Amino acid sequence: MAVNVGVLGFAHGHVGTYCRRWTDEAELGVRVVAGWDRDAERLAGAAKEYGCEAAASAEALCGRADVSAVVIGAETLYHAELVEMAAAAGKAIVLQKPLALTLEQGDRIVAAVEKAGVPFTLAWQMRVDPQNLALRQRVAEGGVGRVFMVRRRHGLSTHVWGHFETTWHNDPKLNRDIFADDASHAIDFLYWMLGKPVSVMAELATLHSPRVPNDNGLAIFRYADGTLAELSCSFVCLAGENTTEVVGSEGVIIQNYGDAPSANAPRPEGGIGLKWYRHGDKSWTVSDIASPANHGWRIANVAGPLAEFLQGRRGPIATARQGRDVLAITLACYESSETGCRVSLG
């Protein structure tokens, strides 16, 4: 039996990708029955595309007895109030990243979800990517020995998208900026792999256009056992290849084509997505997990795990408390860049 879902905000494009898959693939078992958005034109377009009812208000949607779960894709500023509303109504919740703008808002989300006891998940695509799952498992099983360093390059080519500068993603009141919005993916990836770091040093810069603040950023995280992780984010990146490198006492893991610039750019025939080398090996071992043809596949792929979550067949991709941790790490990057100091994460 399909789960009836309502959408609270279609601002974030990833939500539309999930809705398209759920609408086109009935076997996934999710039916989008209603939607609401602050933007009437955006709501009308979504209602037509997905064949759902346009709710008069967020309160009206949350009050519907035929809606058992909501997907929140509104601008980040509104996440906390919409989570509080949906949780109070007893709805299961899927929230688009990032969790919130501030730690105060993040705390409100955690409190609302835990008080109501409703199922909740963030929709992080990196956590359900097949290659990432294999990479994380290999690290957890000691495939490279003790981990010394992890490097993650992550980017977008927003400067050539056209009109991106005018979108809500760059409004500091609605979404802070592109680093908070999208570097959060890679920050969560490192958190998912290694846990919470004890400190961060970061440099953020606006290099291409003042209308897209903090389009480039570097961060170095230190962990309690001494492990280092490097985050390199550029949102004016046209192409790429290497995305993840894990260096350990007994081996190395390399992942290519793991973000939008590298997945969408032309690649050499037979380009290897995931491989590893261990001390004593005579050659690299190549994973049989293929790299997707484009980054859009990764976003669309989240619809399946989200459907399983909504049906109670799997746990959350990421909990509200985990999202709060990632938000704290992200905000610490800003503090470090602004102060020029190492910032402790307690």
Side-chain angles (χ1 to χ4, degrees):
M1 186 173 179
V3 176
N4 285 349
V5 164
V7 178
L8 292 172
F10 293 92
H12 203 293
H14 290 197
V15 172
T17 303
Y18 313 150
C19 289
R20 276 190 289 276
R21 280 206 64 197
W22 292 334
T23 301
D24 294 343
E25 302 174 45
E27 64 272 19
L28 290 176
V30 177
R31 183 166 53 235
V32 182
V33 298
W36 167 85
D37 199 288
R38 293 176 184 274
D39 186 310
E41 183 177 351
R42 190 163 58 202
L43 174 59
K48 181 179 179 181
E49 182 172 359
Y50 312 124
C52 64
E53 294 183 34
S57 66
E59 292 84 355
L61 189 150
C62 288
R64 290 179 58 141
D66 64 336
V67 170
S68 60
V70 298
V71 179
I72 299 175
E75 298 89 341
T76 312
L77 171 65
Y78 306 116
H79 284 185
E81 65 182 70
L82 292 173
V83 167
E84 288 171 336
M85 187 185 303
K91 310 300 184 185
I93 300 169
V94 173
L95 179 63
Q96 189 49 243
K97 59 81 190 173
L99 183 79
L101 291 179
T102 67
L103 287 180
E104 184 272 334
Q105 293 174 2
D107 288 339
R108 285 168 54 192
I109 289 172
V110 172
V113 169
E114 294 185 350
K115 178 181 178 180
V118 294
F120 174 95
T121 189
L122 282 154
W124 294 113
Q125 71 245 20
M126 283 192 180
R127 289 188 179 220
V128 296
D129 180 274
Q131 286 187 354
N132 289 347
L133 287 165
L135 191 159
R136 182 174 183 257
Q137 181 178 0
R138 186 154 189 85
V139 168
E141 292 176 349
V144 295
R146 179 191 168 189
V147 175
F148 293 145
M149 188 171 73
V150 177
R151 299 174 63 242
R152 175 73 195 194
R153 186 197 58 76
H154 178 75
L156 293 171
S157 55
T158 56
H159 63 306
V160 296
W161 286 4
H163 307 298
F164 180 78
E165 292 183 345
T166 64
T167 67
W168 66 269
H169 291 274
N170 301 300
D171 186 331
K173 294 181 180 179
L174 296 177
N175 193 55
R176 195 175 293 270
D177 59 35
I178 187 62
F179 186 87
D181 185 313
D182 211 78
S184 59
H185 278 297
I187 292 171
D188 179 70
F189 174 82
L190 293 173
Y191 171 79
W192 180 58
M193 285 273 297
L194 302 172
K196 190 174 181 180
V198 296
S199 67
V200 60
M201 296 182 68
E203 291 284 357
L204 309 182
T206 304
L207 299 177
H208 179 70
S209 168
R211 299 180 70 184
V212 184
N214 293 321
D215 55 10
N216 286 269
L218 297 169
I220 298 174
F221 302 105
R222 180 181 291 276
Y223 294 80
D225 65 354
T227 298
L228 299 175
E230 175 191 329
L231 171 68
S232 173
C233 285
S234 176
F235 303 109
V236 290
C237 180
L238 288 172
E241 185 170 74
N242 176 249
T243 42
T244 311
E245 180 178 305
V246 180
V247 177
S249 60
E250 297 296 327
V252 174
I253 305 173
I254 300 290
Q255 181 197 31
N256 299 317
Y257 317 118
D259 69 345
S262 59
N264 295 343
R267 68 185 74 162
E269 184 176 352
I272 295 171
L274 180 64
K275 62 182 181 179
W276 53 87
Y277 181 87
R278 189 172 173 87
H279 178 68
D281 289 351
K282 294 183 178 180
S283 63
W284 287 86
T285 300
V286 177
S287 170
D288 59 3
I289 302 172
S291 300
N294 54 65
H295 193 64
W297 180 93
R298 289 191 177 89
I299 297 170
N301 181 57
V302 187
L306 289 179
E308 294 175 357
F309 165 77
L310 291 169
Q311 293 156 2
R313 296 192 288 118
R314 65 159 289 161
I317 295 172
T319 67
R321 284 192 175 272
Q322 290 170 341
R324 200 267 187 198
D325 279 350
V326 172
L327 176 61
I329 297 168
T330 304
L331 294 180
C333 292
Y334 284 86
E335 181 182 350
S336 176
S337 181
E338 291 164 3
T339 63
C341 298
R342 183 195 303 272
V343 173
S344 171
L345 286 156

